[in-house]
């Protein structure tokens, strides 16, 4: 990297010839600013660099604004810096007083809808892009599994549906309070709803309590309202 020391390059892309056609990341992107390496696939290069450039421009924009504010030229009156953070999520707190100085750092990188929070003493080999990709893929799998969740279609008021959502099958008192709060004519009906959800829970437990199978849905066909009900609570 000494060859690029005097240049103003932000990244260097290295082709990993031993990974070509293996399905593994075949590029290594070295960030000369953050001193980090990230392994990605060649098909991801453009979107990765596009996001990196957005983050770089955001950081540099914040730095310019800070310099303008400190120069006392009036910009401070138009922009509030309270609560303003770099998109990288980096923060530093310096403690003072007789106890000596202390600092804590945390770093988060937002890529699309995924925010990655690295550990304080993370390895330089941490692959942020790979983490984002895995997080998105696993989330899609979990959401897709909800399509097979059992659905209880009931007829009631949305106010009662909201109360049902706050109940817990593991806490019978929560159901007892809801049932006793409705008119006498509706109590038997709610008891049947409770029994239906209990049956869903027993089936989920018999199937091994998988994370994917613990979500059920309660649909109010009178109003069209629907809530997700966690069978594991």
């Amino acid at each position: 990297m000494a060859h690029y020391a005097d240049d103003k390059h932000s990244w260097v892309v290295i082709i990993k010839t031993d990974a070509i056609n293996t399905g593994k990341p075949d590029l290594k992107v070295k960030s000369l600013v953050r001193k980090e390496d990230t392994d990605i696939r060649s098909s991801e290069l453009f979107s990765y660099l596009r996001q990196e450039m957005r983050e770089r421009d955001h950081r540099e924009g914040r730095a310019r604004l800070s310099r303008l504010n400190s120069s006392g030229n009036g910009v401070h009156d138009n922009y509030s810096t309270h609560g303003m953070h770099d998109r990288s999520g980096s923060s530093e707190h310096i403690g003072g007083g007789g106890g000596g100085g202390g600092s804590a750092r945390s770093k988060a990188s937002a890529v699309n809808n995924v925010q990655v929070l690295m550990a304080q003493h993370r390895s330089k080999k941490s692959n942020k892009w790979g983490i984002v990709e895995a997080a998105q893929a696993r989330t899609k799998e979990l959401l897709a599994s909800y399509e097979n969740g059992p659905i209880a279609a009931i007829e009631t008021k949305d106010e009662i549906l909201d109360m049902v959502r706050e109940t817990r099958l593991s806490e019978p008192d929560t159901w007892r309070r809801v049932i006793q709060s409705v008119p006498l004519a509706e109590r038997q009906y709610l008891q049947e709803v409770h029994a239906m959800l209990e049956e869903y829970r027993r089936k989920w437990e018999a199937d091994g309590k998988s994370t994917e199978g613990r979500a059920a849905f309660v649909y109010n066909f009178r109003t069209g309202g629907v809530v997700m009900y966690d069978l594991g609570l």
Side-chain angles (χ1 to χ4, degrees):
M1 293 297 101
H3 177 74
Y4 302 100
D6 297 328
D7 295 331
K8 294 185 178 180
H9 300 304
S10 297
W11 303 276
V12 174
V13 180
I14 300 173
I15 299 175
K16 301 165 62 176
T17 56
D18 57 337
I20 295 177
N21 297 326
T22 64
K24 298 179 180 179
D26 53 355
L27 298 178
K28 181 184 292 292
V29 182
K30 302 183 75 68
S31 173
L32 303 183
V33 176
R34 296 203 307 267
K35 311 299 183 186
E36 292 180 354
D37 295 350
T38 302
D39 295 327
I40 63 173
R41 296 179 177 85
S42 54
S43 60
E44 302 165 343
L45 179 61
F46 290 121
S47 56
Y48 174 81
L49 290 178
R50 189 181 301 116
Q51 180 64 33
E52 288 290 300
M53 285 188 284
R54 288 197 194 103
E55 293 185 6
R56 180 198 61 187
D57 294 343
H58 188 83
R59 286 193 300 270
E60 292 178 353
R62 287 282 186 254
R64 284 195 295 270
L65 178 59
S66 178
R67 288 195 295 270
L68 287 171
N69 288 341
S70 62
S71 67
N73 62 357
V75 176
H76 185 271
D77 295 334
N78 297 324
Y79 295 90
S80 172
T81 58
H82 177 68
M84 191 176 288
H85 296 285
D86 180 1
R87 281 183 63 185
S88 66
S90 298
S91 63
E92 182 173 1
H93 173 73
I94 306 297
S103 66
R105 294 176 180 269
S106 66
K107 187 172 185 179
S109 299
V111 180
N112 295 330
N113 60 332
V114 179
Q115 191 173 32
V116 180
L117 184 65
M118 295 295 188
Q120 186 175 4
H121 300 293
R122 72 185 188 282
S123 168
K124 290 185 177 180
K125 294 295 184 180
S126 297
N127 187 341
K128 180 183 70 175
W129 194 253
I131 294 171
V132 169
E133 187 180 55
Q136 291 175 329
R138 187 66 186 93
T139 302
K140 288 179 181 178
E141 290 176 5
L142 182 60
L143 290 175
S145 71
Y146 288 167
E147 295 180 359
N148 299 320
I151 304 172
I154 67 174
E155 184 178 15
T156 187
K157 298 177 181 178
D158 277 342
E159 292 83 354
I160 296 178
L161 182 65
D162 288 337
M163 288 192 291
V164 168
R165 177 172 52 187
E166 299 301 321
T167 62
R168 301 288 184 268
L169 292 175
S170 61
E171 300 176 13
D173 285 344
T174 61
W175 271 97
R176 191 175 299 112
R177 285 194 295 269
V178 171
I179 292 173
Q180 291 177 351
S181 69
V182 301
L184 287 173
E186 297 185 38
R187 291 183 183 180
Q188 179 62 35
Y189 186 72
L190 270 186
Q191 288 173 351
E192 293 175 1
V193 173
H194 182 204
M196 187 182 300
L197 293 173
E198 284 281 13
E199 180 61 29
Y200 293 161
R201 179 186 173 92
R202 283 192 290 271
K203 184 177 185 305
W204 168 68
E205 291 176 337
D207 290 341
K209 295 185 176 181
S210 65
T211 301
E212 291 81 357
R214 67 183 289 168
F217 298 89
V218 183
Y219 170 67
N220 184 4
F221 59 83
R222 178 188 294 179
T223 65
V226 62
V227 299
M228 186 171 72
Y229 196 89
D230 192 335
L231 301 174
L233 296 180

